[in-house]
Structures are given as structure tokens and as C-alpha cells.
Amino acid sequence: MLKKHVAPLLAAMSLLFSTAACSDQSIIDTNGDLAKYQEAEDSVVNEFLHAEKPTFTTKTVATFNEPWAMTALPREGDESLKLLVTQKTGELFVVDAATGNKTAITGVPKVAYGGQGGLGDVILAPDFATSNNIYLSYVEAGTGPDSRKFGAKVIKAKLSGLDVGQPSLQAIRPIWQQTPKMKGQGHYSHRLLFSPDGRYLYISSGERQEKTPAQDMSVNLGKIIRLKPDGTVPADNPFMDKNNDVSAQFWTIGHRNVLGMAFDDKGKLWAHEMGPRGGDEFNLIEKGKNYGWPLVSNGCNYTGTDIPDHDTRPDFAAPKITWTPVVSPSSMSIYKSGKHNDFPAWQGDVLISGLSSKALIVVNLDDNDSDNDSASERYRYDMGKRIRSVLAVDGEVWLLEDGDEARLLHLFPK
């Protein structure tokens, strides 16, 4: 019950800082604002939630250079957990979470590494138990005159040789790619997620730091894509148009840089995306909706010029949470107990990894009113390092730091 009292207070604080963030561009101080925000938030959280806020210690399991994503392989009986971990530079590893031993997987396609680009997300096919298929996203360069242009690509591949300790990717098949390829090496997004029933593959496609593609129905940038597992387009997608094969892929439009997606236990899809200078968003993703970028945002342009807030355009879907100063959300995972129940207070909560905020952020979903789903930041943990990825598996939680010599951390409740 306490968290329900805290949510309005944190929402009011967020509004206060969001309003102030663009009102006087001459006094913007992101670091100063962040310190003030965190101080105020910590005060509220400590007053109301101190008694119930879980605490934890961390254990370093392994280290990586520029890791980007991780997922868990199915576990049988008492065998140790195995994780698949990607590195932006193009490496894919099987990691024994108990010992930290890493085994490189061969056969990964060549990636265009640079900026925010390289090897991206990795997820298991819904039928992995029988097919051993996985899905990977990565950035590739164009050819010929487009050799200095880049775009994200998604492939399906069979993960072979796990049982003999010589894992490799076989039978690689392309599923989807960003079109057109663009100059620059930012905002690919390329996050992957299957629907709970395994029938649909969702792909986040960033607007490549070009803004206008997010509202352009002729390109698949700045969108969330929905496909069948084989890459074909479902007939019930909301933008089906016999004269526009590209828009038929779209589930939602008007996105900037979606780096986290997850389904809750009621089958609702949530996503977060990075705002510009302020205005990071946490959104409920609903079929056919337009989320407004770049026409609206609760942040400002990097030049300091204002962008109309979401409340000026009720025709666009508004975020359930906005963060100013930004938290730079980089991934998300929903906590569910299983064989373990290390953090029962987090049951059903969304765990978000933060880059600039160097934090693990816990968000509560309050959907008692089905017509007005809401969310609020519940806890924030200062991790002291940029956090690239978070993964909740069977009641345990794992974090990946960002950058060189980044640690894979296992969280243990105190």
C-alpha cells in the first residue's frame, strides 16, 4: 500500500523537473538537475519505502568488452544457468553463470562496428527446445555507393554444437532489415521480443537520429515492427496497405530510440525509449498508435530549443512515465518468481537498466483500471557504473555493465 502513496509524489516531482527543464535554456544543468532530482526522490523513497525496499549485494561472474544483450538458455534440473551474451564488436558467447566460463560461438555474421552499431540483441525462438533456433540483430554496412551507410538486420540461425562444447551458428536466414540504410551510426534500436504465445516477433527500429523518419510511412525507421517468426507480415497488422509493403510491417509509429520491450503477465506490451535532452519515456505499446516523435516530446532538442510537450497533442499516445533529467534506459526485464524468489517485493515489477543514470530502476505497473494503465518509478539503485542490460530469470537477477571490462553481475538479496 505504501507504494501507492509514493507514486503521486514521484509523479509530481517528475512534472516539476520536466516543466523546468525547457523553461530557461540558459540555466540547463543536466548533472545539477540530476543531483537535485535524485536527492528529492531519495528523500521521498526513504520516508515512505525504506522499510520495504530490498537491498542486495553483487557477485562478479565474468567480464566482457562492450556487451550489449543477454538471454538465458533453458535449464534442465539442477544444471547451472547458461547465458548467451553479445558484444558490440561482433562476438557471441555462451556463459556458464555459475563458473563464469565463456565459450565463443562461431559463425556470427560480420557486423559494422562503430558508434552505437555492431552486434545487438539475441533471443531464443519460441520452439528453441526442439529447433535450437535463435534470433540475432546486428548492424551491416551497405555495398557499392552505399558502403558508408548502415542499417540494422535481423537473422534467424540454428545454434549447434552446444552439447559438445563447440557451439556455432548454422542455417542462417535473414528475417528483416532497416530500409533505407543511412549515414551515421546511432539509434538503431534493434531490440527483439516474441509475443507470449510465440506467434509474433516484435522489432524496435530507431529513427537513426534523423527525426523525420519516425512519421514517414514509406520507411521502417522510428517504428515498432510486428512480423511472424519467418519474417512475413501478419494480416491483422494495423497499417496494411496493398500499395505500401513497408507500412504493413508497422505495429506502432513515432518512436525515437526504443531499447527495451517486455510483455507483462496480462499480455500488455511495454517499451521505453530515450528522449533527446530530457524526456525519456516509458510507454504502453498499443496497436496502431502514434507516439509522436519528433513532433512532441517532454524533452528539448540538444540545441536547447523547445519541443512541444505531449499534452499539446492528445492525438498522440502519451508516455506513462517521463524522466527529466534522463535515465538513458537501455533494456528491460519483468521480474517473476520461479525456482528462486530472491526479490519478492519486485514481483511483477519492471526492471530497467540505466546508462547515464548508472542505475537499476524498478517500475511498478498499476493496471487496476484497465482503461487507464499507469506506471511509476518505485525504486532506484545507484550501481556506480553504466548498466547496459538487466535480465530476470526464474527469480534471479543479472546485470551487464557497459563498456570495456564490463562485469556480468549476479544480484543476491541481503
Side-chain angles (χ1 to χ4, degrees):
M1 294 298 292
L2 288 175
K3 65 182 178 184
K4 294 183 179 179
H5 296 292
V6 172
L9 289 170
L10 294 184
M13 288 160 49
S14 178
L15 178 61
L16 173 63
F17 281 94
S18 296
T19 303
C22 295
S23 60
D24 184 349
Q25 298 306 321
S26 66
I27 60 171
I28 287 180
D29 178 358
T30 302
N31 292 330
D33 286 349
L34 179 60
K36 293 176 183 177
Y37 176 85
Q38 289 178 329
E39 181 180 356
E41 183 191 45
D42 289 345
S43 176
V44 173
V45 171
N46 287 337
E47 180 178 353
F48 288 93
L49 293 178
H50 180 73
E52 68 171 276
K53 182 177 179 180
T55 57
F56 54 79
T57 58
T58 63
K59 177 183 177 182
T60 300
V61 176
T63 59
F64 299 87
N65 289 321
E66 297 190 76
W68 205 88
M70 59 180 165
T71 195
L73 292 171
R75 179 166 45 182
E76 296 182 5
D78 293 329
E79 68 177 9
S80 60
L81 181 68
K82 303 294 193 303
L83 301 175
L84 299 180
V85 177
T86 65
Q87 290 186 160
K88 276 175 55 181
T89 44
E91 296 79 28
L92 175 63
F93 294 97
V94 180
V95 184
D96 187 317
T99 65
N101 290 336
K102 301 186 296 186
T103 303
I105 298 172
T106 61
V108 178
K110 180 181 178 180
V111 308
Y113 166 71
Q116 296 175 13
L119 188 58
D121 210 359
V122 56
I123 60 172
L124 307 184
D127 63 352
F128 178 84
T130 55
S131 71
N132 276 8
N133 286 328
I134 66 171
Y135 288 72
L136 282 170
S137 67
Y138 64 96
V139 173
E140 68 171 6
T143 58
D146 291 334
S147 61
R148 292 185 180 275
K149 294 183 179 180
F150 307 93
K153 185 173 184 175
V154 176
I155 61 169
K156 177 182 178 180
K158 184 174 182 179
L159 180 55
S160 301
L162 279 175
D163 54 342
V164 295
Q166 295 180 327
S168 65
L169 296 186
Q170 305 289 335
I172 293 175
R173 176 183 173 185
I175 295 295
W176 176 87
Q177 64 181 357
Q178 286 180 330
T179 55
K181 288 182 168 60
M182 309 281 284
K183 293 181 179 179
Q185 294 176 296
H187 291 194
Y188 297 101
S189 295
H190 60 28
R191 184 66 69 184
L192 308 176
L193 178 70
F194 272 105
S195 58
D197 61 10
R199 296 176 61 194
Y200 304 108
L201 172 66
Y202 292 81
I203 306 167
S204 66
S205 179
E207 40 76 282
R208 299 301 320 284
Q209 295 178 305
E210 294 292 334
K211 297 184 178 180
T212 53
Q215 298 293 328
D216 185 344
M217 300 300 285
S218 68
V219 300
N220 62 13
L221 308 175
K223 317 296 192 300
I224 290 179
I225 307 299
R226 179 180 181 252
L227 304 173
K228 294 180 181 179
D230 63 359
T232 58
V233 176
D236 62 341
N237 271 8
F239 299 100
M240 295 296 291
D241 183 342
K242 65 181 180 180
N243 297 316
N244 188 347
D245 292 338
V246 174
S247 67
Q249 307 170 8
F250 307 163
W251 187 246
T252 55
I253 67 175
H255 298 286
R256 185 173 184 267
N257 191 22
V258 174
L259 290 175
M261 299 189 294
F263 281 95
D264 67 18
D265 59 5
K266 295 187 177 181
K268 295 177 181 178
L269 177 58
W270 297 86
H272 58 59
E273 62 184 281
M274 291 193 178
R277 193 169 185 174
D280 286 349
E281 297 182 7
F282 184 75
N283 289 301
L284 176 63
I285 302 300
E286 297 180 287
K287 180 180 181 178
K289 289 195 173 182
N290 187 335
Y291 289 78
W293 179 256
L295 303 177
V296 293
S297 171
N298 286 5
C300 311
N301 289 307
Y302 290 115
T303 59
T305 58
D306 192 22
I307 303 171
D309 286 350
H310 275 276
D311 59 11
T312 66
R313 292 289 300 270
D315 50 321
F316 295 135
K320 302 301 180 180
I321 302 174
T322 64
W323 286 281
T324 299
V326 297
V327 295
S328 305
S330 55
S331 74
M332 75 161 71
S333 186
I334 294 183
Y335 185 87
K336 298 177 183 178
S337 62
K339 180 179 179 181
H340 304 274
N341 190 18
D342 288 350
F343 302 98
W346 294 351
Q347 181 66 26
D349 287 346
V350 181
L351 309 183
I352 297 174
S353 54
L355 293 171
S356 65
S357 55
K358 300 181 179 180
L360 172 64
I361 298 160
V362 181
V363 165
N364 172 248
L365 303 178
D366 184 3
D367 57 359
N368 292 327
D369 181 354
S370 60
D371 295 326
N372 187 28
D373 296 276
S374 62
S376 57
E377 181 176 329
R378 189 178 180 195
Y379 306 126
R380 188 180 298 196
Y381 296 89
D382 181 5
M383 301 304 301
K385 298 282 187 180
R386 290 164 56 90
I387 305 299
R388 170 55 66 180
S389 184
V390 57
L391 181 66
V393 184
D394 209 17
E396 297 180 303
V397 178
W398 308 82
L399 300 179
L400 266 176
E401 295 176 343
D402 189 46
D404 294 334
E405 293 299 313
R407 297 177 297 170
L408 171 63
L409 301 174
H410 186 184
L411 273 55
F412 291 92
K414 282 187 178 179

